[in-house]
Amino acid sequence: MHTNFKEVIDPGSTEAVLLSQIDLKRLPQHVAIIMDGNGRWAKQRGKARIFGHQEGAESVRSILDTFARLEIDAVTLYAFSTENWKRPEEEVSALMQMLKHYIKNEIDEVHENRIKFCAIGNIEGLAEDVREEIRKAEEKTADNKGTKLNVALNYGGRAEIVDACRKAFSEMNAQGVQPAEFTEQHIEQNLYTAGLPEVDLMIRTSGEMRISNFLLWQVAYSEIYVTDTLFPDFRREEIFKALLDFQKRDRRFGGVVSTGGS
Ligand code: IPE
Ligand code: IPE
Ligand code: MG
């Protein structure tokens, strides 16, 4: 078994079997996850939605631990969208409190796993106490060389592209670059994900077949994996299944698949 998992997976378990089937040389470099289905998970158990969010936080812990052990380069988690403000005020404030406490309580373990934490989205639009935890977490993990973790908060994909264009235009203005010279690179370099590998796998839990304004630019050639599993149940075994599914895909990027023949 992969040595990094020896202490956490029993040989002979389903997880061990799945792990043995994963080709460690062909892992995705950047995985994005739409963490959906917390509310439904709680509802199925006759509980308030916030219980689902709390269980979802455990899934985040499992994802980070697993990706750090697999040495995956980057992961971007969709935690709160610009549209999520439309939810009842009670749920929004509970989510924000949870987020703050989660960052505060988990950051030591994140740091021990050599993960570099970064919040992406319209961070200025969050309350000062939440921003303060984000700042501390980013500072603490700034020099870590392991998995890069982006948490998308108050994030919208269209807003990100508009933002990137604004930055690009002001750079172009300053350098006297003409509109005809404007390229994809100008946008790319100003996205929150600049400098990270392409998102090669996008996962959505809870069966919804939509992108919900997440990483609209970056998803151009991502493989998309949708599972019916609700996010609070998306733990190591489900992560391994997603990675195995990814490895079955033919990534053609508009070209012709190479069969090894003539
Ligand atoms: C995802 O779960 C968590 C956030 C959007 C913060 P939901 O809260 O959307 O759960 P469902 O979709 O209602 O089941
Ligand atoms: C997407 O889930 C946003 C996050 C996971 C943070 P939603 O539950 O908000 O998306 P819709 O409303 O089903 O499109
Ligand atoms: Mg949802």
Side-chain angles (χ1 to χ4, degrees):
M1 200 194 316
H2 188 307
T3 47
N4 292 352
F5 286 94
K6 277 221 167 84
E7 65 214 30
V8 289
I9 295 184
D10 289 335
S13 63
T14 311
E15 286 183 344
V17 174
L18 290 169
L19 178 59
S20 72
Q21 292 167 357
I22 296 175
D23 179 352
L24 300 170
K25 292 189 206 72
R26 288 175 50 240
L27 288 170
Q29 288 191 285
H30 187 171
V31 183
I33 307 180
I34 303 177
M35 312 188 286
D36 196 20
N38 294 348
R40 276 162 283 175
W41 187 94
K43 195 167 175 221
Q44 284 173 358
R45 286 158 182 78
K47 293 189 168 177
R49 295 176 57 83
I50 193 71
F51 283 97
H53 297 315
Q54 275 158 1
E55 276 302 308
E58 282 302 310
S59 296
V60 171
R61 185 200 280 260
S62 178
I63 289 167
L64 297 183
D65 180 84
T66 306
F67 282 16
R69 288 178 199 273
L70 287 170
E71 297 168 356
I72 286 184
D73 204 1
V75 55
T76 301
L77 301 178
Y78 203 7
F80 195 88
S81 74
T82 45
E83 288 75 29
N84 287 147
W85 296 109
K86 289 186 214 154
R87 295 187 178 202
E89 133 80 27
E90 191 187 296
E91 181 175 348
V92 171
S93 64
L95 268 171
M96 289 298 158
Q97 283 308 306
M98 260 191 60
L99 203 76
K100 191 176 84 179
H101 288 120
Y102 185 83
I103 299 174
K104 199 182 167 103
N105 297 333
E106 296 295 315
I107 201 63
D108 287 342
E109 195 178 328
V110 163
H111 187 49
E112 275 163 33
N113 278 330
R114 297 172 49 248
I115 295 170
K116 182 176 170 156
F117 171 91
C118 179
I120 64 169
N122 179 8
I123 304 306
E124 287 82 61
L126 299 173
E128 178 48 35
D129 57 340
V130 179
R131 281 157 55 194
E132 173 70 13
E133 283 314 320
I134 292 173
R135 256 195 309 274
K136 284 197 234 159
E138 287 180 342
E139 268 168 33
K140 185 171 180 125
T141 62
D143 297 326
N144 286 350
K145 300 285 181 267
T147 302
K148 296 167 193 89
L149 162 67
N150 295 314
V151 180
L153 292 169
N154 195 17
Y155 173 91
R158 288 182 175 173
E160 178 183 21
I161 296 172
V162 170
D163 239 27
C165 290
R166 282 199 188 122
K167 288 184 202 140
F169 292 158
S170 63
E171 283 167 19
M172 286 169 67
N173 255 336
Q175 294 159 7
V177 178
Q178 296 305 305
E181 296 167 273
F182 183 62
T183 64
E184 290 183 9
Q185 267 68 44
H186 288 103
I187 296 184
E188 194 109 13
Q189 286 158 7
N190 286 292
L191 294 170
Y192 301 129
T193 51
L196 294 177
E198 292 277 336
V199 173
D200 28 23
L201 173 62
M202 177 169 289
I203 296 174
R204 182 165 190 151
T205 57
S206 89
E208 250 38 277
M209 301 278 188
R210 55 175 173 263
I211 300 293
S212 300
N213 202 16
F214 192 38
L215 302 179
L216 296 180
W217 178 279
Q218 295 87 336
V219 84
Y221 267 108
S222 307
E223 292 298 324
I224 297 180
Y225 176 84
V226 177
T227 171
D228 284 335
T229 301
L230 303 175
F231 189 68
D233 293 325
F234 191 77
R235 305 277 164 95
R236 197 157 50 215
E237 189 175 323
E238 295 297 318
I239 299 167
F240 288 165
K241 286 185 193 161
L243 295 174
L244 278 169
D245 193 90
F246 170 79
Q247 295 191 331
K248 283 195 234 131
R249 313 280 180 96
D250 269 332
R251 305 197 70 204
R252 291 191 286 279
F253 301 99
V256 178
V257 67
S258 151
T259 58
S262 53

